[in-house]
Amino acid sequence: MKRLLLAAAAVSFFPAIVFSQGTGTRPTTGLHEADPEWTLIEGATVHVSASEEISGVSVLIQGSRIVAVGNSPAAPAGTRIIAGAGRHVYPGFIDPHVPGSAGDGAAPVTTGWNEQVRPDRSMATSGNLNELKQDERRKAGFTACLLVPDSGIIQGTSAVFLLSDETAAKSLVRPDVAMHLQLTTRFGSGSRGGDGPTSPMGAMALARQTMYDAKWYRDAWQIATANPGMMRPDANASLEHLRPVTEGQMPVMIPASNEIFVLRAARFAREFGLRLVVIGSGNEYRRIEEIAGLNLPVILPVDFPEAPALNNPMDGMNASLEQLMHWDHAPGNPAALATAGVRMALTADGLEKPDEFLKQVRLAVQRGLSPAAALEAMTLGAA
């Protein structure tokens, strides 16, 4: 059974204008062709949602936009025909967590006092699309991704891009989707000579102090604006960029390196009234009831561990019980969360190659995740 995963099929999850044959804001010099290419997929099984499908229908595509789905949509002359019998048309997969390096550029003159606090960074303008491995991701079924910053404690905002090989301006779907925070430090990161923190405790302290500063800054400006005679606080670009976060207009996404860090991130979010999305670790099954009780969306990696090498008795002595148990339980983690009612999305983050993604998802299905829940976690859940 063959499957077609089309960028155009993701139209249900993004604003339709993104998929229309867009025109740039710059004038076109010289002769150019304006007519988009037409494609018709005939007689396929179309998955309208994770639980609903329509058999034996055709899909008419204009450029990169679906314009009709039905038994016999009218196609103009010159339309490219694809035989869809025996094929399935799915919504394009969306990867909700693709780390990328954010070009620092020049920090605003009024930025914060610590170099680890850069909420002014935006992947929409500074993200490096060359890191996306777009061809590999498309072959794996992905048509869009959330590009997220990967450095600092208050790291900046993410952006949704189509995997289209177009310029960043044409591929950008939505800028400033979420603010990304790191409540710990990477092993070996930081230095005593530079701006800290150099420990998980220091990272949490810096994040908390920054959020308190942002709330004070917001309130101080509101009071100063309402009372022109009062002294205004100093302008601070970092704290200003956190205003949508403190006002609940922008969610925060926080990675949790284990199941305990999920609870820690939830406490942090409650303290400041933040809209939290957790980036999971694959260990959530260890505290499934507590995590389900948080009622938070979780983005799950599917980089399940390889079986420990047990070529001889000595290897067996070196493999801990914890390693063996995690190897056995990790593929069942998505099913455990779905059964517990946790809203989730699946990401290829952590895999060496994007084409390993579907193999890992199939393993999760073998371990109890329903095919409908898997498809939803890769499409609507991610969106």
Side-chain angles (χ1 to χ4, degrees):
M1 182 174 61
K2 296 182 178 179
R3 296 169 172 80
L4 298 177
L5 297 108
L6 304 177
V11 70
S12 300
F13 310 121
F14 287 122
I17 191 171
V18 173
F19 296 89
S20 63
Q21 200 69 17
T23 56
T25 54
R26 290 177 177 271
T28 303
T29 303
L31 297 175
H32 62 283
E33 212 169 288
D35 294 329
E37 179 183 6
W38 290 81
T39 302
L40 181 67
I41 303 173
E42 288 187 321
T45 297
V46 177
H47 291 255
V48 180
S49 68
S51 57
E52 181 184 358
E53 61 183 54
I54 308 173
S55 299
V57 297
S58 298
V59 181
L60 181 62
I61 303 168
Q62 179 186 16
S64 58
R65 178 185 175 128
I66 292 176
V67 295
V69 177
N71 292 324
S72 55
T79 297
R80 182 165 65 106
I81 307 296
I82 297 177
R87 297 188 174 190
H88 289 242
V89 180
Y90 287 117
F93 301 155
I94 304 166
D95 195 325
H97 190 261
V98 179
S101 58
D104 276 336
V109 176
T110 58
T111 193
W113 57 271
N114 190 293
E115 64 183 10
Q116 301 296 318
V117 176
R118 287 297 304 275
D120 54 280
R121 283 190 303 206
S122 172
M123 297 302 282
T125 56
S126 62
N128 184 0
L129 299 191
N130 293 328
E131 298 176 342
L132 287 179
K133 300 179 181 178
Q134 299 199 44
D135 286 341
E136 293 183 35
R137 292 185 186 277
R138 282 198 299 269
K139 289 176 183 177
F142 292 102
T143 56
C145 71
L146 184 70
L147 188 60
V148 309
D150 68 347
S151 62
I153 301 301
I154 312 292
Q155 300 173 317
T157 57
S158 52
V160 176
F161 286 95
L162 293 179
L163 301 173
S164 64
D165 282 336
E166 293 282 1
T167 63
K170 284 185 176 290
S171 299
L172 179 64
V173 175
R174 183 180 169 190
D176 303 329
V177 171
M179 185 67 67
H180 291 257
L181 280 65
Q182 180 74 251
L183 298 183
T184 186
T185 55
R186 293 185 178 89
F187 180 77
S189 65
S191 63
R192 295 186 182 275
D195 278 351
T198 58
S199 68
M201 181 174 65
M204 175 64 89
L206 177 58
R208 292 182 70 238
Q209 183 61 63
T210 301
M211 296 308 303
Y212 276 118
D213 290 347
K215 294 186 77 170
W216 170 86
Y217 183 82
R218 177 199 64 193
D219 296 342
W221 269 100
Q222 287 176 349
I223 294 170
T225 302
N227 301 275
M230 293 188 64
M231 183 177 295
R232 299 187 301 175
D234 292 341
N236 187 299
S238 291
L239 299 182
E240 182 62 37
H241 276 84
L242 287 170
R243 184 187 292 262
V245 174
T246 61
E247 294 179 347
Q249 299 170 5
M250 178 183 291
V252 296
M253 298 178 74
I254 300 177
S257 55
N258 57 44
E259 71 281 7
I260 301 300
F261 269 75
V262 176
L263 308 180
R264 186 186 188 203
R267 287 196 300 270
F268 177 86
R270 282 197 303 269
E271 181 177 1
F272 299 103
L274 309 179
R275 294 168 51 201
L276 175 63
V277 178
V278 174
I279 313 300
S281 63
N283 297 288
E284 288 75 24
Y285 62 88
R286 298 173 179 171
R287 293 288 186 99
I288 193 70
E289 292 183 2
E290 292 172 83
I291 292 174
L294 297 173
N295 194 28
L296 294 172
V298 179
I299 296 175
L300 284 182
V302 291
D303 57 337
F304 309 131
E306 297 288 338
L310 299 175
N311 299 319
N312 55 62
M314 204 52 151
D315 289 338
M317 295 291 290
N318 292 329
S320 68
L321 178 60
E322 181 180 4
Q323 286 177 304
L324 292 171
M325 290 183 66
H326 183 56
W327 163 71
D328 181 47
H329 288 297
N333 188 55
L337 288 174
T339 301
V342 176
R343 293 171 290 158
M344 67 178 187
L346 300 179
T347 175
D349 185 24
L351 298 175
E352 288 188 12
K353 295 182 179 180
D355 62 8
E356 299 174 358
F357 179 71
L358 281 179
K359 180 187 74 173
Q360 299 294 87
V361 173
R362 291 188 184 103
L363 179 56
V365 169
Q366 291 173 13
R367 295 295 298 273
L369 182 65
S370 72
L375 182 58
E376 181 163 351
M378 295 185 288
T379 53
L380 185 59

